Protein backbone atom coordinates (compact mmCIF):
# COMPACT_ATOMS: atom_id res chain seq x y z
CA UNK A 1 0.00 0.00 0.00
CA UNK A 2 1.21 3.49 -0.85
CA UNK A 3 0.65 6.93 0.58
CA UNK A 4 -1.93 8.68 -1.65
CA UNK A 5 -0.29 10.83 -4.34
CA UNK A 6 0.12 14.50 -3.47
CA UNK A 7 -2.85 16.49 -4.72
CA UNK A 8 -5.35 13.73 -3.92
CA UNK A 9 -8.58 14.97 -2.32
CA UNK A 10 -10.09 12.14 -0.31
CA UNK A 11 -11.92 13.84 2.54
CA UNK A 12 -12.43 17.16 4.28
CA UNK A 13 -11.94 15.57 7.69
CA UNK A 14 -8.26 14.99 6.98
CA UNK A 15 -7.66 18.08 4.86
CA UNK A 16 -5.76 20.78 6.75
CA UNK A 17 -7.57 24.13 7.04
CA UNK A 18 -4.74 25.85 5.15
CA UNK A 19 -5.42 23.54 2.17
CA UNK A 20 -9.16 24.34 2.32
CA UNK A 21 -8.34 28.05 2.24
CA UNK A 22 -5.80 27.54 -0.55
CA UNK A 23 -8.35 25.72 -2.75
CA UNK A 24 -10.98 28.42 -2.10
CA UNK A 25 -8.44 31.12 -2.95
CA UNK A 26 -7.37 29.35 -6.14
CA UNK A 27 -11.04 28.85 -7.12
CA UNK A 28 -11.54 32.62 -6.99
CA UNK A 29 -8.83 32.98 -9.65
CA UNK A 30 -10.39 30.41 -11.97
CA UNK A 31 -12.35 31.85 -14.89
CA UNK A 32 -14.57 29.17 -16.47
CA UNK A 33 -15.56 31.51 -19.32
CA UNK A 34 -11.91 32.11 -20.28
CA UNK A 35 -10.13 28.79 -20.84
CA UNK A 36 -6.78 28.55 -19.06
CA UNK A 37 -4.46 25.84 -20.40
CA UNK A 38 -3.13 24.82 -16.95
CA UNK A 39 -3.92 21.18 -17.71
CA UNK A 40 -3.04 21.14 -21.41
CA UNK A 41 -1.96 17.66 -22.44
CA UNK A 42 -3.23 16.13 -19.19
CA UNK A 43 -5.79 13.35 -19.01
CA UNK A 44 -8.53 13.40 -16.40
CA UNK A 45 -10.44 10.13 -15.97
CA UNK A 46 -13.96 10.42 -14.59
CA UNK A 47 -14.81 7.07 -13.03
CA UNK A 48 -18.45 7.00 -11.96
CA UNK A 49 -19.96 3.93 -10.31
CA UNK A 50 -23.06 5.90 -9.30
CA UNK A 51 -25.40 8.26 -11.06
CA UNK A 52 -24.50 11.94 -11.10
CA UNK A 53 -25.61 15.07 -12.90
CA UNK A 54 -23.97 18.10 -11.31
CA UNK A 55 -20.73 16.59 -10.02
CA UNK A 56 -19.90 14.70 -13.21
CA UNK A 57 -20.82 17.52 -15.56
CA UNK A 58 -18.95 20.15 -13.59
CA UNK A 59 -15.77 18.07 -13.19
CA UNK A 60 -15.88 17.48 -16.94
CA UNK A 61 -16.43 21.17 -17.77
CA UNK A 62 -13.75 22.11 -15.21
CA UNK A 63 -11.19 19.73 -16.73
CA UNK A 64 -11.96 20.85 -20.28
CA UNK A 65 -11.85 24.53 -19.29
CA UNK A 66 -8.27 23.89 -18.16
CA UNK A 67 -7.39 22.26 -21.47
CA UNK A 68 -7.36 18.63 -20.26
CA UNK A 69 -8.62 15.60 -22.18
CA UNK A 70 -11.38 13.78 -20.28
CA UNK A 71 -12.26 10.09 -20.34
CA UNK A 72 -15.59 9.08 -18.83
CA UNK A 73 -16.05 5.55 -17.51
CA UNK A 74 -19.45 4.62 -16.13
CA UNK A 75 -20.68 1.34 -14.75
CA UNK A 76 -22.86 0.57 -17.72
CA UNK A 77 -21.01 0.19 -21.00
CA UNK A 78 -17.61 -0.53 -19.38
CA UNK A 79 -15.84 -3.69 -18.20
CA UNK A 80 -17.14 -2.91 -14.71
CA UNK A 81 -20.33 -4.61 -15.95
CA UNK A 82 -18.25 -7.71 -16.69
CA UNK A 83 -17.08 -7.78 -13.08
CA UNK A 84 -13.72 -5.99 -13.33
CA UNK A 85 -12.67 -4.76 -9.89
CA UNK A 86 -12.19 -1.13 -8.88
CA UNK A 87 -8.42 -1.63 -8.56
CA UNK A 88 -8.07 -3.28 -11.96
CA UNK A 89 -10.14 -0.48 -13.52
CA UNK A 90 -7.85 2.03 -11.79
CA UNK A 91 -4.69 0.25 -13.07
CA UNK A 92 -6.21 0.29 -16.58
CA UNK A 93 -6.86 4.04 -16.44
CA UNK A 94 -3.37 4.64 -15.10
CA UNK A 95 -1.89 2.47 -17.91
CA UNK A 96 -3.61 4.55 -20.59
CA UNK A 97 -1.97 7.62 -19.13
CA UNK A 98 -4.56 9.17 -16.81
CA UNK A 99 -2.97 11.95 -14.76
CA UNK A 100 -5.86 12.22 -12.27
CA UNK A 101 -8.83 9.98 -11.45
CA UNK A 102 -12.10 11.49 -10.22
CA UNK A 103 -14.02 8.69 -8.54
CA UNK A 104 -17.62 8.36 -7.39
CA UNK A 105 -18.40 5.06 -5.71
CA UNK A 106 -21.22 3.66 -3.55
CA UNK A 107 -18.72 2.26 -1.01
CA UNK A 108 -17.29 4.53 1.68
CA UNK A 109 -13.50 4.51 1.45
CA UNK A 110 -13.28 3.42 -2.21
CA UNK A 111 -11.25 6.54 -3.22
CA UNK A 112 -8.80 5.88 -0.34
CA UNK A 113 -8.35 2.30 -1.50
CA UNK A 114 -7.64 3.40 -5.07
CA UNK A 115 -5.28 6.14 -3.91
CA UNK A 116 -3.32 3.61 -1.83
CA UNK A 117 -2.57 1.57 -4.95
CA UNK A 118 -1.96 4.15 -7.67
CA UNK A 119 0.76 6.76 -8.20
CA UNK A 120 -1.64 9.43 -9.50
CA UNK A 121 -3.93 11.72 -7.50
CA UNK A 122 -7.45 10.49 -6.78
CA UNK A 123 -10.29 12.95 -6.23
CA UNK A 124 -13.28 11.76 -4.21
CA UNK A 125 -16.47 12.75 -6.05
CA UNK A 126 -18.69 11.16 -3.39
CA UNK A 127 -18.14 7.80 -1.65
CA UNK A 128 -21.08 6.03 -0.05
CA UNK A 129 -22.18 7.70 3.18
CA UNK A 130 -18.65 8.97 3.85
CA UNK A 131 -17.73 12.27 2.18
CA UNK A 132 -18.27 14.55 -0.80
CA UNK A 133 -15.35 16.99 -0.41
CA UNK A 134 -15.81 18.99 -3.64
CA UNK A 135 -19.45 19.69 -2.70
CA UNK A 136 -18.44 21.08 0.70
CA UNK A 137 -15.75 23.24 -0.93
CA UNK A 138 -18.21 24.66 -3.46
CA UNK A 139 -20.71 25.25 -0.67
CA UNK A 140 -18.09 27.18 1.33
CA UNK A 141 -17.18 29.13 -1.82
CA UNK A 142 -20.88 29.96 -2.32
CA UNK A 143 -21.34 31.04 1.31
CA UNK A 144 -18.29 33.28 1.01
CA UNK A 145 -19.80 35.03 -2.02
CA UNK A 146 -22.62 36.18 0.29
CA UNK A 147 -20.99 36.48 3.71
CA UNK A 148 -17.70 38.09 4.65
CA UNK A 149 -16.44 35.08 6.55
CA UNK A 150 -17.61 31.70 7.72
CA UNK A 151 -16.36 32.04 11.31
CA UNK A 152 -19.29 32.78 13.62
CA UNK A 153 -22.05 32.08 11.07
CA UNK A 154 -25.11 30.17 12.29
CA UNK A 155 -25.81 27.29 9.92
CA UNK A 156 -28.94 25.11 10.12
CA UNK A 157 -28.53 21.72 8.41
CA UNK A 158 -31.87 20.00 7.88
CA UNK A 159 -32.86 16.64 6.40
CA UNK A 160 -31.34 13.17 6.15
CA UNK A 161 -28.05 13.84 7.86
CA UNK A 162 -27.34 10.22 8.76
CA UNK A 163 -27.06 9.03 5.13
CA UNK A 164 -25.57 12.24 3.74
CA UNK A 165 -21.94 12.45 2.63
CA UNK A 166 -22.64 16.11 1.82
CA UNK A 167 -23.58 16.72 5.45
CA UNK A 168 -20.45 14.99 6.74
CA UNK A 169 -18.10 16.97 4.48
CA UNK A 170 -19.88 20.25 5.18
CA UNK A 171 -19.90 19.68 8.93
CA UNK A 172 -16.13 19.06 8.91
CA UNK A 173 -15.41 22.03 6.66
CA UNK A 174 -17.70 24.54 8.37
CA UNK A 175 -16.41 23.45 11.76
CA UNK A 176 -12.77 23.93 10.66
CA UNK A 177 -13.68 27.44 9.46
CA UNK A 178 -15.48 28.30 12.70
CA UNK A 179 -19.23 28.18 11.90
CA UNK A 180 -21.82 27.22 14.51
CA UNK A 181 -24.11 24.46 13.30
CA UNK A 182 -27.50 23.09 14.34
CA UNK A 183 -28.68 19.80 12.89
CA UNK A 184 -32.38 19.05 12.50
CA UNK A 185 -34.53 16.19 11.28
CA UNK A 186 -36.38 13.10 12.53
CA UNK A 187 -34.37 11.13 15.15
CA UNK A 188 -34.08 8.20 12.71
CA UNK A 189 -32.26 10.44 10.21
CA UNK A 190 -30.54 12.72 12.71
CA UNK A 191 -29.49 10.56 15.67
CA UNK A 192 -28.01 12.14 18.81
CA UNK A 193 -24.74 10.48 17.82
CA UNK A 194 -24.47 12.82 14.81
CA UNK A 195 -23.62 15.66 17.19
CA UNK A 196 -20.38 13.91 18.17
CA UNK A 197 -18.94 14.33 14.66
CA UNK A 198 -17.25 17.62 15.60
CA UNK A 199 -17.22 19.59 18.86
CA UNK A 200 -20.03 22.11 19.43
CA UNK A 201 -22.67 20.66 17.11
CA UNK A 202 -26.21 21.33 18.31
CA UNK A 203 -29.38 19.37 17.68
CA UNK A 204 -32.89 20.81 17.29
CA UNK A 205 -35.94 18.61 17.04
CA UNK A 206 -38.17 21.46 15.83
CA UNK A 207 -37.23 22.96 12.52
CA UNK A 208 -38.27 26.42 13.75
CA UNK A 209 -35.59 26.22 16.49
CA UNK A 210 -32.94 25.26 13.96
CA UNK A 211 -33.80 28.03 11.50
CA UNK A 212 -34.39 30.89 13.96
CA UNK A 213 -31.57 33.44 13.53
CA UNK A 214 -29.67 31.32 10.98
CA UNK A 215 -27.38 32.91 8.40
CA UNK A 216 -27.40 29.79 6.24
CA UNK A 217 -30.18 27.21 5.87
CA UNK A 218 -28.80 24.08 4.24
CA UNK A 219 -31.26 21.39 3.17
CA UNK A 220 -30.35 17.79 2.38
CA UNK A 221 -32.12 15.30 0.18
CA UNK A 222 -34.71 13.07 1.85
CA UNK A 223 -35.57 9.91 -0.06
CA UNK A 224 -39.13 8.62 0.17
CA UNK A 225 -37.87 5.01 0.05
CA UNK A 226 -35.61 5.66 3.05
CA UNK A 227 -38.52 7.14 5.01
CA UNK A 228 -40.69 4.15 4.08
CA UNK A 229 -37.91 1.75 5.17
CA UNK A 230 -37.88 3.46 8.57
CA UNK A 231 -41.70 3.40 8.73
CA UNK A 232 -41.82 7.18 8.53
CA UNK A 233 -44.44 8.90 6.40
CA UNK A 234 -43.48 11.49 3.81
CA UNK A 235 -46.44 13.68 4.83
CA UNK A 236 -45.17 13.65 8.41
CA UNK A 237 -41.71 14.75 7.28
CA UNK A 238 -43.28 17.47 5.16
CA UNK A 239 -45.46 18.71 8.03
CA UNK A 240 -42.60 18.80 10.54
CA UNK A 241 -39.45 19.63 8.60
CA UNK A 242 -40.19 20.87 5.09
CA UNK A 243 -38.75 24.36 4.43
CA UNK A 244 -41.56 26.79 3.77
CA UNK A 245 -41.54 30.58 3.28
CA UNK A 246 -42.94 31.01 6.81
CA UNK A 247 -40.18 28.89 8.35
CA UNK A 248 -37.48 30.58 6.28
CA UNK A 249 -38.67 33.97 7.56
CA UNK A 250 -37.43 32.91 11.02
CA UNK A 251 -33.85 32.99 9.69
CA UNK A 252 -31.88 36.24 9.42
CA UNK A 253 -33.22 38.60 6.76
CA UNK A 254 -30.15 38.08 4.61
CA UNK A 255 -30.02 34.32 5.13
CA UNK A 256 -29.27 32.10 2.15
CA UNK A 257 -31.00 28.82 1.31
CA UNK A 258 -28.80 25.97 0.05
CA UNK A 259 -29.32 22.44 -1.26
CA UNK A 260 -26.67 20.25 -2.94
CA UNK A 261 -29.23 18.77 -5.35
CA UNK A 262 -31.06 16.92 -6.56
CA UNK A 263 -33.68 18.95 -4.65
CA UNK A 264 -37.07 17.30 -4.52
CA UNK A 265 -39.61 20.10 -4.69
CA UNK A 266 -42.54 19.40 -2.42
CA UNK A 267 -40.38 17.22 -0.13
CA UNK A 268 -37.40 19.02 1.42
CA UNK A 269 -38.76 22.41 0.41
CA UNK A 270 -42.06 23.88 -0.65
CA UNK A 271 -42.52 23.94 -4.44
CA UNK A 272 -41.27 27.38 -5.49
CA UNK A 273 -38.82 28.06 -2.67
CA UNK A 274 -35.91 26.82 -4.81
CA UNK A 275 -36.55 29.85 -7.06
CA UNK A 276 -36.93 32.39 -4.22
CA UNK A 277 -34.43 35.29 -3.98
CA UNK A 278 -32.81 33.71 -0.92
CA UNK A 279 -32.14 30.47 -2.77
CA UNK A 280 -28.56 29.99 -3.98
CA UNK A 281 -29.20 26.46 -5.20
CA UNK A 282 -28.38 27.16 -8.85
CA UNK A 283 -25.44 29.31 -7.81
CA UNK A 284 -24.01 26.31 -5.94
CA UNK A 285 -24.10 24.35 -9.19
CA UNK A 286 -22.46 27.21 -11.09
CA UNK A 287 -19.73 27.56 -8.47
CA UNK A 288 -18.96 23.87 -8.84
CA UNK A 289 -16.99 24.65 -11.99
CA UNK A 290 -14.34 27.10 -10.64
CA UNK A 291 -14.01 25.08 -7.43
CA UNK A 292 -13.44 21.84 -9.34
CA UNK A 293 -11.03 23.66 -11.67
CA UNK A 294 -9.06 24.60 -8.56
CA UNK A 295 -9.17 21.04 -7.22
CA UNK A 296 -7.90 19.62 -10.53
CA UNK A 297 -5.24 22.31 -10.97
CA UNK A 298 -3.98 21.66 -7.43
CA UNK A 299 -3.95 17.90 -8.04
CA UNK A 300 -1.81 18.16 -11.14
CA UNK A 301 0.48 20.83 -9.69
CA UNK A 302 1.11 18.90 -6.48
CA UNK A 303 1.56 15.58 -8.28
CA UNK A 304 4.52 16.87 -10.31
N1 LIG B 1 -25.73 14.94 -5.09
C1 LIG B 1 -25.31 14.74 -3.72
C2 LIG B 1 -24.54 13.45 -3.57
O1 LIG B 1 -24.25 12.79 -4.55
C3 LIG B 1 -26.44 14.85 -2.76
C4 LIG B 1 -27.50 13.80 -2.85
O2 LIG B 1 -27.53 13.04 -3.82
O3 LIG B 1 -28.32 13.73 -1.94
O4 LIG B 1 -24.23 13.07 -2.47
Amino acid sequence: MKTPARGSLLSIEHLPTRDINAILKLARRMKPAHPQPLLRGKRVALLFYETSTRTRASFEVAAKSLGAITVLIQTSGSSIEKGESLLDTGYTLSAIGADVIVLRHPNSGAPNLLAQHLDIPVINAGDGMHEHPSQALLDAYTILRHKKKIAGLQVAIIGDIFHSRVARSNIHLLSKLGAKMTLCGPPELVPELATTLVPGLKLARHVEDAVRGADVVMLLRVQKERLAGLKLHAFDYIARYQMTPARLRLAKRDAILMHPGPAIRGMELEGDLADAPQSVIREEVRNGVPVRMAILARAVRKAR
Side-chain angles (χ1 to χ4, degrees), residues 17 20-21 24 140 144 149-152 172-179:
T17 307
I20 293 173
N21 287 324
L24 294 173
L144 286 168
K149 53 185 172 88
I150 287 179
H172 283 298
L173 192 153
L174 294 169
S175 163
K176 284 176 196 244
L177 296 191

Side-chain angles (χ1 to χ4, degrees), residues 25-98:
K25 192 171 164 199
L26 186 57
R28 281 192 283 274
R29 293 192 356 235
M30 294 293 161
K31 302 275 171 274
H34 303 282
Q36 293 163 277
L38 292 174
L39 297 194
R40 188 165 33 215
K42 300 289 178 190
R43 300 182 181 117
V44 175
L46 306 164
L47 178 53
F48 277 67
Y49 284 76
E50 264 188 9
T51 56
S52 171
T53 303
R54 283 153 287 270
T55 305
R56 205 197 80 191
S58 62
F59 264 118
E60 187 167 345
V61 171
K64 287 190 167 140
S65 304
L66 292 171
I69 295 164
T70 57
V71 184
L72 172 65
I73 311 290
Q74 287 172 292
T75 320
S76 94
S78 73
S79 289
I80 297 167
E81 264 187 332
K82 299 179 188 165
E84 188 166 51
S85 73
L86 169 64
L87 283 185
D88 284 332
T89 306
Y91 292 136
T92 300
L93 291 173
S94 172
I96 61 165

Side-chain angles (χ1 to χ4, degrees), residues 175-198:
S175 163
K176 284 176 196 244
L177 296 191
K180 300 190 184 96
M181 287 167 278
T182 304
L183 313 180
C184 182
E188 294 84 347
L189 301 180
V190 190
E192 292 264 351
L193 200 65
T195 58
T196 59
L197 208 54
V198 296

Side-chain angles (χ1 to χ4, degrees), residues 261-274:
I264 312 302
R265 292 172 189 247
M267 184 66 176
E268 300 103 44
L269 72 181
E270 207 179 276
D272 295 339
L273 209 52

Side-chain angles (χ1 to χ4, degrees), residues 56-175:
R56 205 197 80 191
S58 62
F59 264 118
E60 187 167 345
V61 171
K64 287 190 167 140
S65 304
L66 292 171
I69 295 164
T70 57
V71 184
L72 172 65
I73 311 290
Q74 287 172 292
T75 320
S76 94
S78 73
S79 289
I80 297 167
E81 264 187 332
K82 299 179 188 165
E84 188 166 51
S85 73
L86 169 64
L87 283 185
D88 284 332
T89 306
Y91 292 136
T92 300
L93 291 173
S94 172
I96 61 165
D99 295 285
V100 183
I101 295 182
V102 177
L103 172 67
R104 168 165 289 193
H105 199 282
N107 293 346
S108 305
N112 297 62
L113 179 79
L114 198 60
Q116 283 162 359
H117 287 84
L118 299 182
D119 296 318
I120 55 175
V122 175
I123 312 286
N124 179 1
D127 63 328
M129 288 162 51
H130 175 225
E131 283 224 31
H132 195 345
S134 64
Q135 177 71 43
L137 286 159
L138 75 87
D139 283 339
Y141 181 92
T142 304
I143 295 171
L144 286 168
R145 307 230 6 146
H146 294 267
K147 312 282 169 200
K148 280 197 201 76
K149 53 185 172 88
I150 287 179
L153 290 181
Q154 298 276 358
V155 182
I157 307 182
I158 302 158
D160 183 357
I161 288 163
F162 181 71
H163 295 99
S164 176
R165 53 195 178 202
V166 174
R168 235 171 297 284
S169 287
N170 261 302
I171 289 169
H172 283 298
L173 192 153
L174 294 169
S175 163

